[in-house]
Amino acid sequence: MTPVASDPYRDWLRQRLSAELGVREADLAVQGAVQRRGWTAVRALGPRDVIAVLQDVYSQMRENFGDARADKWLEGTTLDLAKFAESVPVPAQPTAPGPIAPAPSPVKWGRRAHDLPLLLARSHAEIASRSLGAIRTNPDLLSLERAAEWDVQATQAEVRRWETEEMLSKLRADHARIEVADQVAAAVAQGDLLRLTVKELEEASRSGQVVSPQLAHSRLMVTQTQAFLEAFTPLIELEDADTPLTMLELDLGNARYSLGVPLHPNVLRARHALNYAQWQAGEAGEASPQVMQAHHNLHLAQAEAQAQLDATLNAARTHQATLRQLAAQVETLERRALQLTQMGGDPLSLARVRLEWRQVRTAARVQAHRLEEAVRLLEALVSEH
């Protein structure tokens, strides 16, 4: 049972840092991190908070001891933290009595569907926190405190899940707006190339060359491209297509992402169910069928969370590698366009390079956006905010 005033993650952090830095330096590192982030001195730390402090210490260790030692220390410490998070819930303080998390006034049909799960999750977190307070004040229920703490952590993680969904929804909307602008800009470049092609083919036709099929096709493409531009140009700001590419350079092998498994809402929910089953089993203990089933369900939840984490990491790595390749092509095409301009190249050749540049840049933008979305999701799993 976890005492109300305990701070197990802060104690764990001090112990790990003391082994590396000494007791005094460890306390200073924790105090400095708390002050920089504006945390209250009495706030109990959780695993995400510990990760933030570890990152601070890691930066200092790189300067003092070099990358190799700092990397090895951070990876080992983070993996140990993930194991610790599997067995120790984050200390939680119950909320004061009062109305459940503000409910919206009745609305007409048509409310955005994704608002409702977040409202529901916040209400569940509020109820779980109040239940924890009631359990702590009732001697007959004190043995249920640990299960209640897991319940609080699970409901808070569910709130975090839906807040992350809301953040990603807004991010994807911003990305979609720029990606459409890229498509329109590429169509503008294509239109310029097609008009120059039509002009060249018309000159070839007048000189007696048989180019009527190519000319007819190019004219058709001009018409189709113009129709596309008339439909979509009013919907976007063309300047958005010139927004610089987002080139995220980060280590996707960072061990801190391993926290995504023990802190996954489904894993925390399964761990709460296990603790509750153990409380219900009483003297039967681990031999109880309910406890055995709860262990099995926890294992399944962990495996699913690990698969989701691995899939997100693998997707991010693929986007990162593809983005680097496409970004290099964009730079090559920019140099080629500059050379053609300086050498007085013909307009048709320059238009071809500009169209290819727009097309490759559009493809690079998509990869950059998918990478950013994956990284933001990964960061939401382990960051302190």
Side-chain angles (χ1 to χ4, degrees):
M1 185 171 65
T2 305
V4 176
S6 70
D7 198 345
Y9 283 89
R10 189 188 297 263
D11 295 340
W12 181 93
L13 178 61
R14 280 174 172 157
Q15 181 182 10
R16 291 306 297 257
L17 294 184
S18 296
E20 191 69 31
L21 307 175
V23 176
R24 182 175 180 279
E25 289 299 322
D27 284 338
L28 289 175
V30 175
Q31 291 171 11
V34 169
Q35 292 172 355
R36 278 192 298 276
R37 290 170 174 81
W39 298 338
T40 58
V42 296
R43 164 183 168 175
L45 300 185
R48 294 185 179 90
D49 307 319
V50 172
I51 280 289
V53 181
L54 293 181
Q55 291 292 324
D56 290 350
V57 175
Y58 168 71
S59 299
Q60 191 62 46
M61 286 184 67
R62 289 182 64 188
E63 296 180 8
N64 297 339
F65 306 118
D67 290 355
R69 178 176 170 182
D71 289 344
K72 184 177 180 180
W73 173 82
L74 181 63
E75 181 174 359
T77 305
T78 304
L79 292 175
D80 287 346
L81 173 62
K83 293 178 182 178
F84 186 71
E86 292 177 357
S87 59
V88 180
V90 177
Q93 294 299 323
T95 56
I100 296 297
S105 57
V107 294
K108 295 181 180 179
W109 179 258
R111 183 179 184 85
R112 295 185 306 173
H114 68 264
D115 287 346
L116 301 178
L118 179 55
L119 289 170
L120 184 63
R122 286 173 175 164
S123 294
H124 285 166
E126 184 84 11
I127 292 169
S129 180
R130 294 184 185 195
S131 296
L132 174 61
I135 288 168
R136 283 176 173 167
T137 58
N138 188 332
D140 294 331
L141 294 176
L142 276 179
S143 59
L144 190 55
E145 181 184 11
R146 189 174 182 82
E149 287 187 326
W150 282 118
D151 189 26
V152 170
Q153 191 168 345
T155 55
Q156 290 174 344
E158 193 66 23
V159 171
R160 191 180 184 87
R161 184 215 298 265
W162 287 108
E163 288 175 342
T164 300
E165 282 295 323
E166 187 173 36
M167 175 272 292
L168 288 174
S169 178
K170 294 177 180 177
L171 184 64
R172 289 172 186 137
D174 289 339
H175 286 170
R177 174 176 52 80
I178 296 176
E179 287 171 21
V180 172
D182 282 336
Q183 293 282 347
V184 174
V188 171
Q190 181 179 11
D192 293 340
L193 175 59
L194 287 170
R195 280 186 288 274
L196 289 170
T197 301
V198 167
K199 183 178 179 180
E200 183 180 72
L201 289 171
E202 286 173 343
E203 292 176 356
S205 178
R206 284 192 292 269
S207 67
Q209 298 181 43
V210 182
V211 293
S212 53
Q214 298 95 316
L215 180 57
H217 180 260
S218 295
R219 285 172 173 166
L220 174 62
M221 292 295 294
V222 168
T223 302
Q224 300 286 27
T225 301
Q226 188 58 38
F228 172 82
L229 290 174
E230 289 174 357
F232 280 90
T233 301
L235 304 179
I236 56 98
E237 295 291 340
L238 196 56
E239 295 78 11
D240 287 341
D242 295 322
T243 304
L245 290 176
T246 304
M247 296 295 294
L248 294 177
E249 292 295 336
L250 69 164
D251 177 15
L252 290 171
N254 197 314
R256 72 196 186 103
Y257 294 127
S258 61
L259 269 177
V261 175
L263 298 185
H264 191 284
N266 294 349
V267 173
L268 291 168
R269 174 60 57 208
R271 197 170 293 284
H272 159 65
L274 171 60
N275 276 258
Y276 188 72
Q278 290 169 333
W279 176 77
Q280 285 186 312
E283 294 182 359
E286 297 298 307
S288 164
Q290 291 87 347
V291 172
M292 295 173 65
Q293 183 62 46
H295 274 294
H296 177 66
N297 292 341
L298 174 59
H299 175 74
L300 293 179
Q302 289 172 324
E304 183 180 356
Q306 186 67 60
Q308 291 176 0
L309 177 64
D310 291 343
T312 304
L313 277 168
N314 289 335
R317 291 175 185 131
T318 299
H319 292 314
Q320 189 178 56
T322 305
L323 174 59
R324 286 169 178 166
Q325 295 173 355
L326 292 171
Q329 293 180 36
V330 168
E331 292 180 359
T332 299
L333 290 167
E334 287 173 348
R335 288 194 297 269
R336 191 185 305 172
L338 181 60
Q339 290 172 353
L340 278 173
T341 302
Q342 293 173 340
M343 295 171 61
D346 65 280
L348 189 59
S349 296
L350 185 57
R352 286 195 182 99
V353 173
R354 284 175 174 165
L355 173 58
E356 187 178 0
W357 175 76
R358 278 292 182 192
Q359 291 172 333
V360 175
R361 197 169 185 271
T362 296
R365 176 94 71 193
V366 171
Q367 296 299 319
H369 284 171
R370 299 299 87 80
L371 173 60
E372 183 181 1
E373 290 160 15
V375 168
R376 293 285 290 278
L377 174 58
L378 290 167
E379 290 294 327
L381 293 175
V382 299
S383 69
E384 79 268 30
H385 297 300

